[in-house]
C-alpha cells in the first residue's frame, strides 16, 4: 500500500515555461512522436514507432502509476500553451530509504528549448514537498550529453560511474549516477 502522503498535487508543479500535469488523451501526438526516437522506447514501456492504440495504451499506463504505488508520471506541458512536450517521472522504488528516482524524456519535436531542465527543476521542487524523500537519483548513460546538461542545470551532481549497471536494448550499459539532496 502506498503511503497516504503520496497523492496527486493539487496544483501542477511548474518552473519557467513548463508545468507537470496528468496525461490527457490529446497528448497522443507527443507520444507518437516520442515513439519514433531510437532511444526512448528502449528505456520504458513505450512501443517503438507506436500506432495510435499503442500510444493511448501508454497514456493509460502513465495515469495508473501512482495508484500502483510506482510513483508519479507527469506529462511535461507548455505552461501557457498546455501542449505536451515530454514525460517525467518521480519513481518511489527506494522510498523506504528516503530515495526516489527521476526519469525524463522530451519528444523530438520539442527538443532544444530547455524543457527537460525546467521539468526536472519542477519535479525536484515537488519532491521536496514530500517528507519521506531526502534524495533523488537519476541514472544517465555517459553518451547522453543533453540529459547530463539538464541534470546538472537542475542542480543534480554526478556521484560516479556505475559500470555495467543495467541492460538497455539487449546490452549492458554504464550509467552515471546523478543525485540531488534535500
Amino acid at each position: 500500500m502506498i503511503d497516504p502522503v503520496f497523492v496527486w498535487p493539487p496544483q501542477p508543479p511548474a518552473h519557467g515555461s513548463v508545468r507537470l500535469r496528468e496525461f490527457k488523451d490529446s497528448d497522443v501526438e507527443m507520444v507518437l512522436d516520442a515513439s519514433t526516437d531510437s532511444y526512448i522506447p528502449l528505456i520504458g514501456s513505450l512501443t517503438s514507432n507506436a500506432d495510435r492504440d499503442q500510444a493511448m495504451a501508454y497514456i493509460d499506463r502513465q495515469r495508473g502509476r501512482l495508484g500502483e504505488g510506482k510513483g508519479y508520471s507527469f506529462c511535461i506541458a507548455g505552461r501557457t500553451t498546455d501542449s505536451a512536450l515530454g514525460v517525467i517521472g518521480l519513481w518511489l522504488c527506494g522510498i523506504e530509504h528516503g530515495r526516489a528516482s527521476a526519469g525524463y524524456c522530451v519528444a523530438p519535436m520539442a527538443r532544444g528549448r530547455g524543457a527537460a531542465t525546467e521539468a526536472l527543476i519542477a519535479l525536484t521542487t515537488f519532491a521536496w514537498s514530500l517528507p519521506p524523500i531526502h534524495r533523488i537519483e537519476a541514472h544517465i548513460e555517459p553518451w547522453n550529453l543533453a540529459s547530463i546538461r539538464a541534470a546538472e542545470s537542475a542542480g543534480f551532481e554526478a556521484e560516479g560511474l556505475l559500470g555495467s549497471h543495467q541492460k538497455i536494448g539487449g546490452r549492458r550499459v554504464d550509467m552515471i549516477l546523478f543525485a540531488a539532496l534535500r
Side-chain angles (χ1 to χ4, degrees), residues 7-178:
V7 296
W8 201 258
Q11 294 296 317
H15 183 83
S17 66
V18 305
R19 68 185 182 104
L20 312 182
R21 61 161 171 76
E22 291 184 83
F23 277 86
K24 302 176 183 179
D25 288 356
S26 59
D27 299 331
V28 69
E29 295 303 324
M30 178 276 294
V31 174
L32 288 168
D33 185 47
S35 80
T36 67
D37 185 85
S38 62
Y39 186 66
I40 293 171
L42 298 177
I43 58 171
S45 67
L46 180 59
T47 303
S48 182
N49 296 302
D51 63 27
R52 215 166 188 73
D53 289 340
Q54 292 167 324
M56 287 305 301
Y58 174 84
I59 288 170
D60 288 340
R61 285 192 300 277
Q62 301 322 297
R63 291 175 177 145
R65 300 295 190 208
L66 186 58
E68 296 167 352
K70 294 183 181 190
Y72 297 84
S73 184
F74 293 103
C75 178
I76 303 168
R79 196 171 193 165
T80 57
T81 65
D82 197 43
S83 59
L85 307 172
V87 180
I88 191 164
L90 181 67
W91 308 113
L92 304 175
C93 58
I95 199 60
E96 67 276 7
H97 303 292
R99 289 191 305 264
S101 63
Y104 48 91
C105 64
V106 174
M109 65 181 181
R111 291 183 181 154
R113 294 179 265 169
T117 298
E118 291 181 339
L120 192 53
I121 291 169
L123 186 81
T124 303
T125 302
F126 168 67
W128 298 152
S129 76
L130 303 170
I133 299 176
H134 295 277
R135 175 184 174 88
I136 307 167
E137 297 178 347
H139 297 86
I140 304 171
E141 286 190 73
W143 62 262
N144 195 340
L145 300 179
S147 188
I148 289 170
R149 279 191 303 274
E152 290 173 340
S153 296
F156 282 64
E157 293 186 18
E159 293 187 339
L161 182 69
L162 305 172
S164 191
H165 182 68
Q166 70 188 75
K167 203 177 215 183
I168 294 179
R171 62 182 184 86
R172 303 289 312 174
V173 299
D174 297 343
M175 292 285 190
I176 302 172
L177 173 62
F178 283 85

